[in-house]
Amino acid sequence: MNTYGRQPVTFERGAGAWLWDTHNNKYLDAFSGVAVCGLGHAHPAVTAAICQQAGRLVHTSNHFGIALQEELGAQLTRAAGMDKVFFGNSGAEANEAAIKIARLHGQRRGIATPTIIVAENSFHGRTLATLTATGNRKIQAGFEPLVQGFVRVPYNDLEAMRTVARNSANLAQGIVAVLVEPVQGEGGVHIPGDDYLAGVRALCDEFDWLMMLDEIQTGMGRTGRWFAYQHTNVIPDVITVAKALGNGVPIGACLARGTAAELLQPGSHGSTFGGNPLACAAALAVITTIEQEKLVARAAALGERLLAGLNHALRDCKLVTAIRSKGLMIGVELDRPCAALIHTARARGLLINVTAERVIRLLPPLNISDAEADLIIEGVAAVVRDFAHSDA
Ligand SMILES: *Cc1c(COP(=O)(O)O)cnc(C)c1O
């Protein structure tokens, strides 16, 4: 179906941060398939894990024990500081599991119409519940009636959240959880204030809400920590992970700790494919590689290099209104719509993304070299400068 506005290029193979198209043109990939290929393309450890597992066993279903799923569960909960995990196949499915956990949390508290606080400008997926949670009318339009049980507040606004808490005290609809991204990705790389997550945690503790973080884009080392919440001193109750978890093999996970980890029981949730041996073998290889190659720290260092380089290269460029970053999640905001930049960059052999109309979003692999990072800086600076002249 005609679901995507695709760019007129098709890739045939990749290696590290590089892709080759069907005409053998070479591109530096600063997009990583929407933050999915955190280890770059065709990483040998992931390739070997997939090939070996494909030759042994791909799928048996969750009717049986799956040793690789247990091993991945142990490693992932350790890295995420959580107790338990449910495996699905995508980010939206991970968030669906989180939403169901929130509703069970409400039931346990005797709340008949449980409601989840979500943020403006957020992105949580394309299923009916997750597009309802998403704070973007364009993604919802045409799909009404939306799912009940969500209330929206501005992002990075604790006072608005507190107001909802106060007002809901006399309403039938009880608040049961907060679901936010620790950094808004699709919304334009928006980084909340340093005290935001701690403030959300405090409200959740005060009112017995679950603190649920969508780490689908921010997780797996992207921001310079295993998970973005680890930049703070607080621990959420639920986090969702997907994108980079399988480096391109579809897998998503909803992790939880404490009582939130005990709410789903046999019969209350499930997935046919979720956590199958093939996907788990790929994800285990991803975690092992991130550890062996020390890519979490590397992402932090590369993020600083890119930020400093972009700040320097674009320092005189008047149409740049802000450069925001958390590790290797980087947004360069312009004062005007700039979607055309993805094409001028591609023509120079550089793949970038533009989101929220005016924000160049860079999500390069975590294992690029300094030289590759510098090529990204040069390429972005060049297309922004050309754009300034052509658009003057
Ligand atoms: C990509 C993304 C999703 C949706 O993931 P899918 O795998 O496309 O379902 C949800 N939340 C965030 C923050 C994302 O970046």
Side-chain angles (χ1 to χ4, degrees):
M1 297 186 190
N2 190 23
T3 330
Y4 305 100
R6 295 181 198 273
Q7 296 176 48
V9 62
T10 301
F11 301 110
E12 229 165 38
R13 68 198 160 87
W18 297 89
L19 285 166
W20 285 264
D21 71 12
T22 42
H23 305 289
N24 212 30
N25 299 309
K26 187 180 174 188
Y27 303 82
L28 179 56
D29 187 2
F31 186 43
S32 309
V34 205
V36 166
C37 299
L39 304 183
H41 302 283
H43 190 286
V46 182
T47 304
I50 293 170
C51 291
Q52 277 165 24
Q53 192 56 41
R56 191 175 295 150
L57 188 64
V58 171
H59 178 89
T60 53
S61 89
N62 284 299
H63 288 244
F64 308 102
I66 303 174
L68 285 165
Q69 189 186 111
E70 287 172 28
E71 196 182 330
L72 177 61
Q75 300 227 14
L76 195 56
T77 50
R78 183 182 42 75
M82 294 286 124
D83 294 332
K84 296 201 173 173
V85 55
F86 171 83
F87 287 107
N89 313 285
S90 67
E93 277 177 82
N95 282 338
E96 288 277 349
I99 292 163
K100 287 177 75 171
I101 287 172
R103 288 190 168 189
L104 289 179
H105 176 68
Q107 285 231 309
R108 207 188 39 179
R109 288 179 47 201
I111 293 170
T113 359
T115 300
I116 300 170
I117 298 179
V118 291
E120 286 172 8
N121 200 42
S122 60
F123 183 79
H124 297 295
R126 300 283 195 160
T127 61
L128 279 169
T130 59
L131 76 81
T132 303
T134 291
N136 180 344
R137 270 304 295 161
K138 278 191 203 153
I139 283 172
Q140 298 171 339
F143 300 113
E144 294 81 4
L146 301 182
V147 175
Q148 292 187 340
F150 293 92
V151 57
R152 195 169 306 287
V153 297
Y155 189 61
N156 194 26
D157 186 341
L158 292 168
E159 207 33 58
M161 223 176 251
R162 184 164 280 285
T163 303
V164 170
R166 227 178 273 128
N167 295 342
S168 74
N170 5 326
L171 289 178
Q173 46 152 231
I175 306 295
V176 296
V178 175
L179 173 65
V180 290
E181 297 153 90
V183 175
Q184 289 189 329
E186 303 300 309
V189 190
H190 291 289
I191 299 151
D194 287 342
D195 60 348
Y196 182 59
L197 292 186
V200 172
R201 178 74 268 175
L203 282 170
C204 288
D205 289 343
E206 183 178 344
F207 294 102
D208 193 13
W209 306 338
L210 294 182
M211 178 179 178
M212 312 201 298
L213 292 183
D214 181 339
E215 292 250 18
I216 289 164
Q217 193 163 145
T218 53
M220 303 305 290
R222 168 70 42 198
T223 72
R225 292 278 198 279
W226 267 104
F227 294 92
Y229 87 80
Q230 292 163 342
H231 289 279
T232 74
N233 293 324
V234 301
I235 308 180
D237 301 297
V238 176
I239 67 176
T240 53
V241 186
K243 291 208 163 83
L245 179 54
N247 210 54
V249 175
I251 180 167
C254 176
L255 297 117
R257 72 182 177 96
T259 52
E262 309 298 333
L263 291 167
L264 292 176
Q265 289 295 323
S268 59
H269 198 44
S271 165
T272 298
F273 294 131
N276 83 15
L278 184 74
C280 290
L284 276 166
V286 168
I287 292 177
T288 307
T289 303
I290 290 175
E291 271 167 358
Q292 280 176 356
E293 299 182 8
K294 300 191 167 43
L295 292 180
V296 178
R298 178 67 184 151
L302 278 166
E304 281 176 26
R305 187 184 186 91
L306 278 157
L307 179 64
L310 288 166
N311 271 323
H312 182 73
L314 294 169
R315 66 193 178 286
D316 295 325
C317 203
K318 299 229 161 30
L319 75 178
V320 175
T321 56
I323 303 180
R324 297 183 289 268
S325 76
K326 198 87 173 168
L328 284 179
M329 230 172 140
I330 299 160
V332 179
E333 181 158 345
L334 304 193
D335 63 0
R336 65 200 72 176
C338 61
L341 286 178
I342 60 173
H343 301 292
T344 49
R346 195 182 64 250
R348 292 180 49 108
L350 176 66
L351 303 181
I352 61 170
N353 174 248
V354 170
T355 190
E357 289 182 350
R358 298 187 287 128
V359 183
I360 301 167
R361 180 174 48 159
L362 305 174
L363 301 161
L366 278 48
N367 56 0
I368 57 173
S369 65
D370 287 351
E372 287 164 342
D374 294 345
L375 279 176
I376 294 172
I377 296 164
E378 279 166 36
V380 169
V383 294
V384 171
R385 268 192 243 105
D386 288 352
F387 188 62
H389 293 159
S390 70
D391 216 47

